[in-house]
């Protein structure tokens, strides 16, 4: 049993090979058109909320169209909200009449229709289920987000809810819709370890190969893979388990008629390849309307993504993460066998060349993925006495693909790289996740070793993510201690630059860059870099609370300025 809780090794392969899935937030809240937390935000009484069901008639819902949109986008699985926090079941539930078949004029089971269509089109169907939060049920108890406007907290009996609704409905989902790829749980605040184990056992009893995400529990080591925070792209060095980022196309999950804040297609694809290069999956969300239609802007974005995936899918599906434990300024890397895929952002293509330090493998040939007959000229050389290995590519004048173009580096033998941190074309990012954190006096110190390949002046920047509404001065009111080589600086970080379209950061966070200092590097080779601050925390040993921190320290960036 413990083996299944830690990781379902038998069935995780399909998940990691798929890389790309569709999240669908669809429920009774679509009729209000203000997203899925409206009942809680407006403290809508249960009796009033139930009346909305009488008007909910998604007569334009078409399972074939939905699955076709996902398939055309290059998605391999669909996760749909079978029951969200409002307690409304989007399937025929014998356990609770507050469901789409028994309480609405629609009188159809959309999950049944999606299951049939997914089987026809070859996608895996997966179910989201809110197992702890349920504002409709009088006995649901969460750590924080409870319905206390209808029900008295002290009168709640959790096991009434747990045994009479949750377990029976999960049983229904696992026994009436064929093979299910994932049961995607959410917000497990306050759930005991015993109850966490019990719900995992229930899923595995009916479908042993069904995956369970880590949000089933806040206790460590639960789930077959890790769900990152909403819209969170992790830093390097955070763990080895398979993982997935759930991401919105705009700012909302459920349908919000006022939210037209859509990411650009280019921004989505940049974030996608960043996720893939770190070994993760992207679960990209749509929020259908009360009529059962995926909003037109979402469909248009997905078609554009699909066109890119159709051309570049070889560099996505079944690939492994980049062998380099840091980001590249020009894009991202994925690997499959003896092929290394360089996902080069088109705005970086115009530089005419790409240089990769630390590339030790002998290269057989280099070509464009979209035009395999077009070879890319390359050179390899090394400086043995300092352990520097270099691959230099000469790019053609124009990028061959829209948004991001993929160059294939085909190897003669197995892939070998220098896995130490090496400055790449005058820049390197050192994520906090790969540092060694030690206690010194009243603060922690993050420590890295970095190889500098060129002499010159180097600027050190701190990259943090700041949550919307946070006052910077409240968070940074003490100097940080920065050591690079044998030089030390004390500096109070400021909001020197706000990056509005970061490859890694998105709403509700924004990327902040802070200048920490400039250093003269007079010799090439290995240097130590240390950052001391009372804001640096020890690495988490278990699941973290999603989006809890006002400011997250992410990265130290080293940039050659001359």
């Amino acid at each position: 049993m413990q083996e299944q809780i830690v990781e379902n090794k038998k069935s995780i392969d399909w998940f990691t090979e798929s890389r790309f899935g569709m999240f669908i937030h669809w429920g009774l809240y679509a009729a209000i058109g203000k997203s899925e937390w409206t009942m809680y935000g407006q403290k809508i009484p249960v009796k009033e909320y139930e009346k909305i069901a009488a008007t909910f008639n998604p007569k334009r819902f078409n399972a074939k169209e939905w699955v076709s949109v996902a398939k055309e986008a290059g998605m391999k699985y669909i996760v749909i909200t079978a029951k969200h926090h409002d307690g409304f079941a989007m399937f025929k539930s014998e356990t609770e009449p507050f469901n789409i078949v028994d309480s609405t004029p629609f009188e159809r089971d959309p999950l049944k229709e999606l299951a049939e269509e997914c089987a026809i089109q070859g996608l895996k169907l997966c179910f989201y289920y809110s197992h702890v939060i349920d504002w409709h049920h009088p006995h649901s108890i969460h750590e924080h987000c409870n319905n206390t406007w209808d029900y008295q907290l002290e009168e709640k009996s959790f096991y009434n809810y747990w045994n009479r609704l949750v377990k029976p409905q999960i049983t229904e989902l696992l026994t009436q819709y064929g093979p299910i790829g994932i049961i995607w749980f959410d917000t497990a605040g306050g759930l005991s370890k015993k109850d966490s184990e019990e719900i995992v056992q229930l899923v595995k009893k009916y479908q042993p190969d069904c995956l369970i995400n880590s949000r089933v529990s806040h206790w460590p080591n639960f789930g077959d893979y890790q769900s990152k925070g909403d819209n969170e792209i992790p830093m390097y060095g955070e763990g080895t388990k398979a993982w997935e980022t759930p991401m919105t196309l705009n700012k909302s999950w459920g349908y919000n008629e006022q939210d037209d804040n859509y990411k650009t297609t280019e921004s989505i694809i940049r974030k996608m390849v960043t996720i893939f290069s770190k070994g993760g999956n992207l679960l990209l969300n749509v929020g259908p309307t009360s009529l059962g239609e995926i909003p037109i802007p979402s469909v248009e974005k997905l078609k554009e993504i699909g066109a890119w995936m159709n051309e570049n899918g070889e560099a996505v599906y079944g690939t492994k993460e980049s062998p380099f434990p840091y980001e590249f300024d020009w894009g991202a890397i994925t690997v499959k066998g003896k092929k290394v895929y360089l996902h080069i952002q088109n705005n970086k293509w115009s530089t005419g060349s790409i240089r990769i330090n630390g590339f030790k493998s002998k290269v057989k040939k280099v070509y464009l993925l979209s035009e395999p007959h077009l070879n890319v000229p390359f050179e390899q050389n090394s400086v043995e006495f300092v352990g520097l290995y270099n691959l230099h590519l000469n790019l053609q004048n124009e990028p061959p693909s829209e948004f991001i173009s993929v160059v294939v580096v085909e190897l003669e033998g197995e892939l070998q790289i220098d896995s130490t941190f090496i400055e790449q074309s005058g820049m390197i990012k050192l994520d906090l996740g790969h540092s060694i954190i030690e206690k010194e006096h009243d603060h922690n110190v993050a420590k890295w070793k970095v190889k500098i390949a060129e002499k010159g002046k180097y600027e050190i920047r701190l990259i943090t993510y700041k949550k919307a509404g946070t006052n910077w001065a409240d968070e940074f009111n003490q100097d940080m201690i920065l050591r690079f080589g044998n030089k030390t600086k004390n500096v109070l970080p400021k909001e020197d630059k706000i990056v509005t379209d970061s490859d890694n950061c998105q709403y509700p966070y924004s990327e902040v860059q802070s200048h920490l200092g400039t250093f003269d590097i007079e010799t090439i080779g290995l240097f130590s870099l240390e950052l001391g601050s009372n804001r640096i925390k020890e690495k988490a040993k278990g699941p973290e609370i999603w989006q809890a921190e006002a400011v997250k320290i992410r990265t130290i960036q080293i940039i050659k300025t001359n």
Side-chain angles (χ1 to χ4, degrees):
M1 178 59 216
Q2 184 63 27
E3 214 173 275
Q4 288 183 329
I5 291 175
V6 174
E7 186 174 1
N8 190 341
K9 294 182 183 297
K10 180 181 177 183
S11 57
I12 198 71
D13 286 349
W14 77 260
F15 176 79
T16 55
E17 290 172 3
S18 296
R19 287 294 177 229
F20 193 27
M22 175 181 277
F23 213 174
I24 302 176
H25 273 69
W26 192 43
L28 194 55
Y29 41 82
I32 304 174
K34 295 181 180 180
S35 293
E36 72 287 350
W37 277 72
T38 302
M39 182 183 183
Y40 184 82
Q42 296 185 2
K43 303 295 186 285
I44 300 174
V46 165
K47 295 300 181 184
E48 293 299 314
Y49 197 77
E50 288 177 340
K51 292 177 183 178
I52 300 171
T55 67
F56 187 57
N57 189 12
K59 54 188 177 183
R60 295 181 188 170
F61 166 74
N62 185 310
K64 183 177 181 179
E65 288 182 5
W66 282 22
V67 178
S68 296
V69 168
K71 187 171 184 177
E72 187 179 349
M75 295 159 161
K76 300 296 186 181
Y77 59 106
I78 290 174
V79 180
I80 184 168
T81 48
K83 187 196 79 160
H84 206 272
H85 305 329
D86 63 351
F88 185 74
M90 294 296 288
F91 62 99
K92 169 62 176 174
S93 175
E94 299 296 339
T95 306
E96 169 57 62
F98 190 50
N99 68 72
I100 192 169
V101 178
D102 296 323
S103 297
T104 78
F106 187 60
E107 297 181 343
R108 286 161 49 194
D109 187 336
L111 302 195
K112 184 77 71 174
E113 295 174 31
L114 281 170
E116 294 169 357
E117 194 57 42
C118 281
I120 292 170
Q121 297 198 39
L123 275 69
K124 282 191 178 288
L125 181 63
C126 314
F127 293 140
Y128 169 114
Y129 189 88
S130 177
H131 60 316
V132 177
I133 297 179
D134 188 323
W135 303 315
H136 180 264
H137 199 283
H139 297 293
S140 167
I141 303 176
H142 182 260
E143 190 174 21
H144 303 293
C145 305
N146 298 291
N147 180 344
T148 54
W149 57 94
D150 283 299
Y151 311 119
Q152 298 297 315
L153 197 58
E154 58 272 15
E155 295 178 2
K156 288 175 176 281
S157 174
F158 176 75
Y159 289 105
N160 181 302
Y161 163 71
W162 189 246
N163 294 320
R164 297 184 182 182
L165 180 71
V166 173
K167 289 193 283 187
Q169 283 195 332
I170 290 174
T171 300
E172 290 173 341
L173 291 171
L174 291 169
T175 57
Q176 298 179 13
Y177 296 90
I180 303 303
I182 302 166
I183 293 289
W184 210 100
F185 292 106
D186 200 11
T187 58
L191 195 66
S192 71
K193 187 174 183 180
K194 173 182 173 295
D195 293 330
S196 301
E197 290 172 346
E198 190 177 65
I199 208 69
V200 168
Q201 290 169 347
L202 179 67
V203 173
K204 301 302 181 181
K205 171 185 175 182
Y206 289 106
Q207 295 208 26
D209 292 334
C210 179
L211 298 177
I212 300 171
N213 68 329
S214 60
R215 294 194 190 187
V216 67
S217 177
H218 281 302
W219 292 85
N221 298 323
F222 276 84
D224 299 302
Y225 70 92
Q226 187 178 15
S227 293
K228 294 299 180 180
D230 297 348
N231 286 305
E232 178 193 4
I233 299 176
M235 67 182 96
Y236 284 98
E238 285 193 339
T240 58
K241 207 172 209 180
W243 59 272
E244 173 189 70
T245 289
M247 183 189 296
T248 55
L249 277 167
N250 47 6
K251 289 185 176 180
S252 304
W253 298 94
Y255 177 65
N256 187 336
E257 59 190 6
Q258 296 181 328
D259 185 0
D260 58 358
N261 298 287
Y262 282 87
K263 300 175 178 71
T264 66
T265 304
E266 180 181 6
S267 177
I268 296 166
I269 292 176
R270 282 196 285 108
K271 295 176 194 298
M272 280 175 56
V273 299
T274 298
I275 290 168
F276 301 151
S277 74
K278 293 180 178 180
N281 283 24
L282 173 61
L283 186 61
L284 192 58
N285 183 74
V286 297
T289 68
S290 62
L291 290 176
E293 296 176 306
I294 299 174
I296 291 174
S298 296
V299 174
E300 291 173 345
K301 298 287 181 190
L302 292 175
K303 284 184 177 180
E304 292 173 342
I305 293 168
W308 187 89
M309 291 287 283
N310 186 55
E311 188 172 80
N312 299 287
E314 179 189 318
V316 172
Y317 304 119
T319 59
K320 304 296 183 182
E321 68 272 16
S322 169
F324 294 91
Y326 46 81
E327 295 174 12
F328 285 80
D329 185 50
W330 44 260
I333 295 176
T334 54
V335 177
K336 186 189 298 179
K338 294 182 181 180
K339 292 181 180 181
V340 179
Y341 302 96
L342 312 181
H343 302 252
I344 303 172
Q345 296 175 13
N346 284 1
N347 63 340
K348 303 291 184 179
W349 191 278
S350 60
T351 59
S353 66
I354 294 291
R355 190 188 74 207
I356 304 176
N357 287 324
F359 206 95
K360 301 170 74 172
S361 302
K362 189 171 182 181
V363 175
K364 182 178 180 181
K365 65 177 179 177
V366 182
Y367 58 91
L368 304 177
L369 181 58
S370 59
E371 301 176 62
H373 60 283
L374 292 180
N375 289 333
V376 175
F378 69 93
E379 298 175 6
Q380 282 189 279
N381 54 63
S382 62
V383 183
E384 295 288 347
F385 76 94
V386 288
L388 286 174
Y389 302 86
N390 179 277
L391 172 64
H392 187 271
L393 310 180
N394 294 307
L395 304 176
Q396 63 183 37
N397 293 331
E398 296 295 330
S401 300
E402 194 171 8
F403 311 122
I404 286 179
S405 299
V406 179
V407 171
V408 184
V409 178
E410 193 169 319
L411 309 177
E412 288 193 357
E414 296 301 316
L415 176 62
Q416 290 184 316
I417 61 107
D418 183 346
S419 60
T420 57
F421 293 105
I422 309 173
E423 163 261 315
Q424 299 283 352
S425 301
M427 193 280 289
I428 188 171
K429 291 181 177 179
L430 308 176
D431 281 352
L432 192 67
H434 266 141
S435 68
I436 296 172
I437 297 177
E438 297 179 352
K439 185 77 173 177
E440 285 190 12
H441 306 298
D442 61 345
H443 61 265
N444 286 329
V445 179
K447 301 181 178 182
W448 301 264
K449 294 287 186 181
V450 59
K451 192 177 290 184
I452 300 298
E454 297 181 55
K455 301 175 185 179
K457 284 187 179 294
Y458 284 84
E459 178 194 359
I460 309 294
R461 292 182 188 174
L462 174 68
I463 296 177
T464 53
Y465 294 174
K466 187 183 78 167
K467 195 171 186 179
T470 299
N471 183 359
W472 182 266
D474 291 341
E475 301 298 322
F476 285 94
N477 49 29
Q478 291 186 22
D479 282 359
M480 287 184 152
I481 303 170
L482 176 66
R483 303 186 189 104
F484 192 24
N486 59 2
K487 298 175 183 177
T488 301
K489 293 180 184 287
N490 286 20
V491 59
L492 183 64
K494 298 179 181 179
E495 293 179 277
D496 294 320
K497 182 179 180 181
I498 308 295
V499 180
T500 56
D501 189 17
S502 166
D503 291 352
N504 288 287
C505 182
Q506 53 202 318
Y507 180 83
Y509 285 91
S510 58
E511 179 178 316
V512 178
Q513 296 187 1
S514 306
H515 172 80
L516 296 186
T518 302
F519 295 79
D520 287 311
I521 300 300
E522 298 173 352
T523 59
I524 62 175
L526 197 64
F527 288 78
S528 62
L529 188 146
E530 300 180 2
L531 183 68
S533 171
N534 61 358
R535 292 205 55 83
I536 293 175
K537 301 177 181 178
E538 293 184 1
K539 296 179 183 179
K541 294 181 175 62
E544 296 185 74
I545 303 294
W546 303 290
Q547 300 181 356
E549 296 179 85
V551 174
K552 299 179 180 182
I553 293 178
R554 289 277 301 201
T555 302
I556 287 286
Q557 186 176 26
I558 304 174
I559 306 168
K560 190 173 185 292
T561 58
N562 75 346

